[in-house]
């Protein structure tokens, strides 16, 4: 999700409600080091057990016994536009690939976040809970149970989660079919990450979905509270949506019945767009409506049929007022056949969204092409940007992103477009747990956004902006560690900084520390290893250790588990004959190497580096001798590391 969609979050970043309460530190003994030394970033017991069982490794790659669960969804749904009520029927075939016997199954009912009794840590419009008309397991109707000990043959809905206890346990390797009938009102336009205003519909988190059962934590049943986002398993989808015939629909997956829902003119232009390097107007203002852009339908309705393979979610958008533009993005060899592949980069938007949107298919095309080159090839046939209601802000789903209409300028619209499309890599392909570690997708995406912006707008330094926002917030004292579970960050400011700007800044810092080649190798190898899987933070740490060829435990501990600040300084310069004695202080608690640029009277510049080991030994200052005619000594003039106070980084004669 784009940070720009969180109201006032940048204001919070500048003026969060003060620093947390501080406990006075005990006096340090004379024998103690001058500064704390980072202790290792210890694995959790659950991660260590996964390594012992062979599902994880300490190289950053999945283990030889790694597994994920699997599901196949068949959904039929319809919407009554007059009441905004969605009615659905669904079957889930759930396969237990784990070595464990499952006596209880858990599902996410994310739409219940709008119910009056839901647990929330963000603002939601209140509607009502999802109403279930059918709940079955293995063909058996389940009785609604009560809180307490689970009884076979029952289900219970607990806020945003459903617990099912089948009549018999699900053994390793077995599958079970679950069936549901349900209805709920699609929330209004001020909803979280979707909603409808009667003109535009973005329908997200709308169906009963299996919770993740993984090899580290078992069932992950943290409810959807609003602040942190989602953790989802990969699955196949077969979805039929019966909707008004004049609605133009975009969705995750492939349209399986284009002849039944699109007119020949629309299909011809769509085929042209798939071959064109410049955007094609697939549906113009004159083309909209049943019998023009879409088929006339039966009784004013059309059924759109979509299928999707190996994706973590299914989302759809619709409007009778959409315009539709698209072009072909070259993604590289996504299929492994040695030839370059393409994907349709398209945009659907209402004219009321304004003239900026006329270029959004171009922005989408550049984003897909650039990120495919910078990371790895985009694997799907299309990447669709839809203009949605205000509740969308900027929000990502497989092959689809919803972006609110209003933006101040083209740079900002490109920014949110490339950010949301970058989410197709993290977390749509690399399926991390956003409820607990939002930084693994949002922070990586914020970094990738910066790379795209700097390519599209040469000279635009988005990395410097990220760093400035992080440092500004850090000075308020309102930070909480990045490793704090995302839903437990106490303020919107601390959540935004830890999840977006600090992690993006850490990645720039890591790149500067280990070098461009090792950094890119680590990022790409980590991503490719964990495509369609569920990495933990320790997998990410180990992947970069492997790429760098060294143990970076001190780095992970200092940046992710603490809120220490980096503050390197020239502590003093004293003449010593024909040389200068330069004292380097580390005034902050966060250890990093010191990179010095020493300028001499003839203009030549000598580079020196003080290794991080000086600080890891517990020192807070060190002295170097610099011979010759020295006119200037500067710490990190390239600004590779985020120093909290750069006013003390330079001495000049």
């Amino acid at each position: 999700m784009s940070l720009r969609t969180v109201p006032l979050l940048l204001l919070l970043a500048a003026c969060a409600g003060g620093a947390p309460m501080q406990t006075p530190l005990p006096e340090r003994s004379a024998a103690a080091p001058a500064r704390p030394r980072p202790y290792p970033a210890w694995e959790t017991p659950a991660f260590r057990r996964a390594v012992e069982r062979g599902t994880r490794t300490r190289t950053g790659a999945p283990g030889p016994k790694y597994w994920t669960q699997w599901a196949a969804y068949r959904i039929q749904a319809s919407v009554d536009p007059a009441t905004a009520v969605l009615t659905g029927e669904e079957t889930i075939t759930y396969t237990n690939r784990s070595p464990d016997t499952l006596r209880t199954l858990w599902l996410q009912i994310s739409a219940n976040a709008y119910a009056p009794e839901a647990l929330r840590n963000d603002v939601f419009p209140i509607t009502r809970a999802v109403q279930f008309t059918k709940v079955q397991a293995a063909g058996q109707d389940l009785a609604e149970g009560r809180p307490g000990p689970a009884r076979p043959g029952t289900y219970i809905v607990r806020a945003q989660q459903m617990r099912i206890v089948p009549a018999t346990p699900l053994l390793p390797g077995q599958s079970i079919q679950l069936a549901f009938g349900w209805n709920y009102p699609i929330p209004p336009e001020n909803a979280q990450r979707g909603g409808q205003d009667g003109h535009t519909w973005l329908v997200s988190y709308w169906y009963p979905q299996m919770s993740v059962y993984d090899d580290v934590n078992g069932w992950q049943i943290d409810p959807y509270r609003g602040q942190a986002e989602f953790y989802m398993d990969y699955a196949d989808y077969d979805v039929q949506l019966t909707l008004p015939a004049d609605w133009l629909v975009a969705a995750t997956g492939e349209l399986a019945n284009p002849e039944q829902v699109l007119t020949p003119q629309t299909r011809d232009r769509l085929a042209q767009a798939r071959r064109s390097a410049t955007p094609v107007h697939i549906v113009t203002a004159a083309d909209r409506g049943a019998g023009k852009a879409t088929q006339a339908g039966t009784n004013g309705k059309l059924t759109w049929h979509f299928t999707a393979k190996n994706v973590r979610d299914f989302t759809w958008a619709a409007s009778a007022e959409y315009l539709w533009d698209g072009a072909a993005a070259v993604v590289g060899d996504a299929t492994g056949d040695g030839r370059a592949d393409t994907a349709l980069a398209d945009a659907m938007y209402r004219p009321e969204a304004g003239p900026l949107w006329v270029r959004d298919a171009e922005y989408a095309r550049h984003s897909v092409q650039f990120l495919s080159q910078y990371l790895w090839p985009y694997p799907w046939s299309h990447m669709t940007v839809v203009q949605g209601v205000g509740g969308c802000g900027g929000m990502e789903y497989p092959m689809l992103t919803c972006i609110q209409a209003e933006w101040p300028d083209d740079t900002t619209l490109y920014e949110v477009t490339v950010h949301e499309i970058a989410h197709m890599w993290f977390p749509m392909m690399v399926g991390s747990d956003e409820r607990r570690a939002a930084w693994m997708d949002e922070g990586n995406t914020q970094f990738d956004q910066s790379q795209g912006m700097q390519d599209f707008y040469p000279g635009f330094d988005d990395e410097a902006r990220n760093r400035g926002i992080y440092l500004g917030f850090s000075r308020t004292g309102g930070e909480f560690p990045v490793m704090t579970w995302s839903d437990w960050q106490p303020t919107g400011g601390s959540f935004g900084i830890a999840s977006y700007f600090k992690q993006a800044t850490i990645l720039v810092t890591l790149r500067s520390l280990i070098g461009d080649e090792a950094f890119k190798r680590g990022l790409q190898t980590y991503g490719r290893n964990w495509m369609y899987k569920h990495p933990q933070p320790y997998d990410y740490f180990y992947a970069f250790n492997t790429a760098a060829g060294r143990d970076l435990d001190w780095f992970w501990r200092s940046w992710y588990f603490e809120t220490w600040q980096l503050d390197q300084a020239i502590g003093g310069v004293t003449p010593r004959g024909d040389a200068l004695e330069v004292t380097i202080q580390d005034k902050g608690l966060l250890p990093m190497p010191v990179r010095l640029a020493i300028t001499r009277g003839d203009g030549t510049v000598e580079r020196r580096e003080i290794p991080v080991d000086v600080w890891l030994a517990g020192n807070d200052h060190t002295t170097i001798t610099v011979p010759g005619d020295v006119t200037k000594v500067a710490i990190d003039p390239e600004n590779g590391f985020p120093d909290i106070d750069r006013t003390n980084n330079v001495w000049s004669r």
Side-chain angles (χ1 to χ4, degrees):
M1 186 176 191
S2 170
L3 189 61
R4 290 181 176 272
T5 68
V6 183
L8 301 181
L9 197 50
L10 293 183
L11 283 178
L12 283 168
C15 54
M21 293 181 63
Q22 300 292 322
T23 302
L25 295 174
E27 291 188 11
R28 181 164 51 87
S29 71
R35 58 178 299 144
R37 291 184 254 187
Y39 57 92
W42 296 113
E43 300 166 350
T44 64
F47 187 90
R48 185 172 63 251
R49 288 193 293 270
V51 172
E52 293 166 353
R53 289 192 298 262
T55 60
R56 307 269 163 166
T57 70
R58 294 190 174 96
T59 68
K65 296 182 179 180
Y66 182 80
W67 51 265
T68 58
Q69 302 290 67
W70 186 253
Y73 294 81
R74 295 184 65 88
I75 305 174
Q76 298 84 39
S78 62
V79 172
D80 181 352
T83 62
V85 171
L86 180 146
T87 301
E89 293 281 333
E90 172 184 27
T91 60
I92 305 173
T93 303
Y94 183 70
T95 301
N96 181 13
R97 292 173 165 179
S98 82
D100 308 323
T101 296
L102 303 180
R103 291 173 171 78
T104 300
L105 306 176
W106 287 91
L107 292 92
Q108 303 180 70
I109 314 298
S110 297
N112 269 357
Y114 299 94
E117 64 274 16
L119 300 171
R120 290 177 285 267
N121 56 13
D122 213 332
V123 177
F124 283 74
I126 305 305
T127 56
R128 65 165 170 83
V130 173
Q131 292 180 348
F132 285 94
T133 57
K134 176 174 69 176
V135 180
Q136 293 180 341
Q140 173 187 345
D141 289 326
L142 301 181
E144 187 169 3
R146 299 178 179 178
R151 292 188 299 110
T154 64
Y155 78 95
I156 185 171
V157 177
R158 187 177 71 185
Q160 293 93 306
Q161 299 289 346
M162 173 185 280
R163 182 187 73 189
I164 286 178
V165 186
T168 58
L170 187 63
L171 301 178
Q174 286 187 340
S175 298
I176 188 171
Q177 189 171 90
L178 309 176
F180 306 92
W182 83 100
N183 64 77
Y184 81 103
I186 299 170
E189 59 182 309
N190 60 335
Q192 284 278 354
R193 304 175 172 92
Q196 54 79 28
D197 61 3
H199 300 275
T200 306
W201 303 71
L202 192 285
V203 184
S204 56
Y205 316 116
W206 56 283
Y207 58 95
Q209 183 184 37
M210 297 302 303
S211 296
V212 174
Y213 185 83
D214 68 31
D215 64 305
V216 175
N217 297 312
W219 287 113
Q220 214 291 38
I221 59 172
D222 297 351
Y224 170 45
R225 299 169 180 264
Q227 177 168 274
E229 291 174 352
F230 302 93
Y231 188 32
M232 298 167 166
D233 257 331
Y234 293 92
D236 290 346
Y237 288 82
D238 187 305
V239 179
Q240 297 187 48
L241 304 169
T242 300
L243 305 169
D246 59 347
W247 285 13
L248 193 61
V249 182
T252 299
E254 309 301 324
L255 180 60
N257 62 338
E259 293 82 5
Q260 282 72 52
V261 294
L262 298 176
T263 60
Q265 174 180 277
T266 305
R267 298 198 305 273
D268 288 346
R269 290 180 182 171
L270 179 58
Q272 181 185 349
R274 291 186 181 276
R275 300 188 300 268
S276 175
T278 57
V280 172
H281 299 304
I282 302 167
V283 173
T284 68
D287 302 323
R288 294 178 298 183
K292 295 181 178 180
T294 57
Q295 298 282 8
T298 303
N299 299 321
K301 302 282 187 180
L302 284 172
T303 297
W304 297 68
H305 183 192
F306 295 94
T307 61
K309 299 290 186 183
N310 201 28
V311 295
R312 65 173 223 154
D313 192 15
F314 185 97
T315 303
W316 59 276
S319 177
E321 301 168 34
Y322 274 154
L323 309 178
W324 189 7
D325 301 333
V330 179
V331 302
D333 185 8
T335 58
D337 63 0
R339 294 178 295 179
D341 297 299
T342 61
L344 176 70
D346 56 330
M348 291 184 178
Y349 56 96
R350 295 168 59 202
E352 291 79 359
L356 295 178
W357 276 83
V358 173
R359 293 190 65 191
D360 207 57
E362 175 192 348
Y363 300 159
R365 178 178 181 269
H366 176 270
S367 300
V368 172
Q369 288 195 166
F370 173 79
L371 292 164
S372 293
Q373 184 273 328
Y374 186 76
L375 296 169
W376 57 86
Y378 183 83
W380 297 304
S381 67
H382 73 93
M383 178 62 235
T384 303
V385 181
V386 296
Q387 173 245 316
V389 295
C392 278
M395 188 61 207
E396 66 277 2
Y397 317 91
M399 303 177 229
L400 182 75
T401 181
C402 182
I403 297 175
Q404 69 186 41
E406 300 82 11
W407 299 97
D409 51 46
D410 61 342
T411 306
T412 312
L413 180 56
Y414 175 82
E415 174 191 354
V416 71
T417 300
V418 70
H419 181 102
E420 304 311 331
I421 290 177
H423 274 302
M424 297 307 112
W425 283 261
F426 302 96
M428 298 305 155
M429 288 184 239
V430 183
S432 55
D433 183 350
E434 300 174 75
R435 296 267 162 84
R436 300 184 180 184
W439 58 269
M440 293 182 72
D441 75 290
E442 293 293 0
N444 281 14
T445 295
Q446 189 73 18
F447 172 85
D448 294 334
Q449 164 197 302
S450 297
Q451 313 317 305
M453 292 196 74
Q454 289 162 192
D455 187 76
F456 196 75
Y457 297 103
F460 188 99
D461 193 350
D462 198 49
E463 294 178 354
R465 185 178 58 168
N466 293 336
R467 180 173 60 247
I469 294 172
Y470 153 63
L471 290 174
F473 190 85
S474 183
R475 293 183 187 105
T476 72
E479 274 194 88
F480 276 69
V482 172
M483 288 291 284
T484 304
W485 283 5
S486 303
D487 252 333
W488 296 99
Q489 287 282 353
T491 69
S494 66
F495 170 78
I497 292 301
S499 302
Y500 293 77
F501 299 112
K502 186 171 183 177
Q503 168 62 5
T505 300
I506 291 171
L507 286 171
V508 174
T509 305
L510 180 61
R511 183 183 64 196
S512 183
L513 177 68
I514 66 176
D516 291 353
E517 183 180 341
F519 174 81
K520 196 160 188 180
R521 181 171 62 249
L523 183 63
Q524 292 179 340
T525 303
Y526 161 73
R528 287 178 176 273
N529 279 342
W530 290 97
M531 286 177 68
Y532 314 117
K533 302 179 180 69
H534 298 309
Q536 295 275 320
Y538 302 96
D539 299 305
Y540 162 86
F541 298 155
Y542 284 131
F544 276 104
N545 282 355
T546 299
R550 51 180 154 148
D551 185 353
L552 297 171
D553 231 20
W554 60 270
F555 184 90
W556 313 126
R557 168 58 60 184
S558 301
W559 281 106
Y560 289 86
F561 293 82
E562 310 289 347
T563 57
W564 293 342
Q565 296 171 335
L566 176 66
D567 187 7
Q568 298 174 346
I570 306 291
V573 177
T574 305
R576 292 284 186 262
D578 293 334
L580 294 179
E581 185 178 88
V582 181
T583 298
I584 307 297
Q585 286 184 303
D586 205 1
K587 301 175 70 174
L589 298 180
L590 201 153
M592 289 292 290
V594 183
R595 291 178 173 169
L596 295 171
I598 301 164
T599 304
R600 303 187 186 280
D602 61 1
T604 59
V605 178
E606 175 192 352
R607 300 287 179 164
R608 289 198 193 181
E609 180 165 314
I610 298 172
V612 70
D613 303 64
V614 171
W615 317 126
L616 298 180
N619 302 305
D620 63 4
H621 69 278
T622 190
T623 302
I624 64 170
T625 300
V626 183
D629 177 21
V630 176
T631 60
K632 181 177 171 183
V633 180
I635 296 174
D636 187 27
E638 291 79 18
N639 213 1
F641 300 153
D643 196 304
I644 198 78
D645 179 9
R646 301 193 71 85
T647 64
N648 55 23
N649 283 27
V650 178
W651 171 88
S652 58
R653 188 180 297 281

